[in-house]
Amino acid sequence: MTISQRLRQPFSVALYNFRLWWGNPRIIVTFALSAGMCFLLSDKAVQFAESHNTTLQLMETFIWTFGDSNSILLCSSLLVLLFADMPFLSAGTPLYLARTSRTTWVLGQLIYVLAATVVYLTFVLVCNMLFCAHLAFPGNQWSPTAAILGYTNAGTRVVIPAMLKTLEMSLPYEATATIYLLMLGYTGVMVMGMLYCNLRFGQAAGVVCVLGYSLYGILLQPDTFQLIFNLRDEAYYIANVIIGWISPLNHATYSMHNFGYDKLPRLWQSYAIYGAAMLLLTFASIRAAKKYNFSFIGTEG
């Protein structure tokens, strides 16, 4: 077998998993729920623009919505439903294991979960664009709506997290690409960790892994610490910096980064941390697959 054929084998495994999407009710429900989620989360910004008779930049509802950690957490939770059939045993799995190897098979699963996550996040981005399209313009500049939200307290009143530093330090398309990559890093680590736990400890462990990962992000929030401990300004700043470094969810939050005047993580450092975590989970999953006890009773083609 040639090197090119060996390199194509994991992608063949991933492609086979995508073929199983056709007519799958679980996949349809996942994307339907994500579309509903996008509508509910973006509708506040759209209604605000309509009430003020202003326009939006095409990417702004995505930026305002997923520049917030709570929205990222909600968005990522639907991936549990998308990947509920981990570790993706089907009628084709015995054939792939016979013709390739366990390492090739698990690499195919890792390619699949990352590619499926990209498809899911792209769907979320497109939905946000469509829901504001009737008010939006494509130019790479902030809209009058963004100016009102960012430079007044109007955003706080309607609970739209239009951070001033986002307006001052970036442009819409740059901010969109950054938020998309941060979400991909956060969700990529989550689904790869779920796959590893499924292979190493069983399906129940995969669900527990995701719940623990999400709960860790919820608890490690600066506002949560402020509410519990009633921190002073200096202590709150220190807690904010520490949490910004040790919380995966805060690494995925655009505003929780260093733009030149604090000690929060820089964007490249968050990318590096997510990349290192995914690389570690890749090796761990390959090792776990070598000891995995495959059972094909009840699998479907």
Side-chain angles (χ1 to χ4, degrees), residues 5 8-9 27 54-56 62 64 66 73 84 91 121 126 131 137 147 205 225 227 246 270 279 282:
Q5 288 175 324
R8 285 199 299 266
Q9 285 179 341
I27 303 300
T54 54
T55 57
L56 287 162
F62 178 82
W64 305 144
F66 296 104
L73 192 65
L121 293 180
V126 171
F131 290 143
F137 62 89
F225 274 65
L227 182 64
I246 65 176
S270 291
L279 187 62
T282 297

Side-chain angles (χ1 to χ4, degrees), residues 216-248:
Y216 181 70
I218 293 172
L219 294 177
L220 284 183
Q221 292 283 1
D223 291 341
T224 303
F225 274 65
Q226 174 70 4
L227 182 64
I228 296 174
F229 299 108
N230 193 25
L231 302 175
R232 296 183 179 180
D233 290 345
E234 183 178 352
Y236 178 78
Y237 171 76
I238 295 172
N240 189 65
V241 171
I242 294 173
I243 291 169
W245 278 98
I246 65 176
S247 169

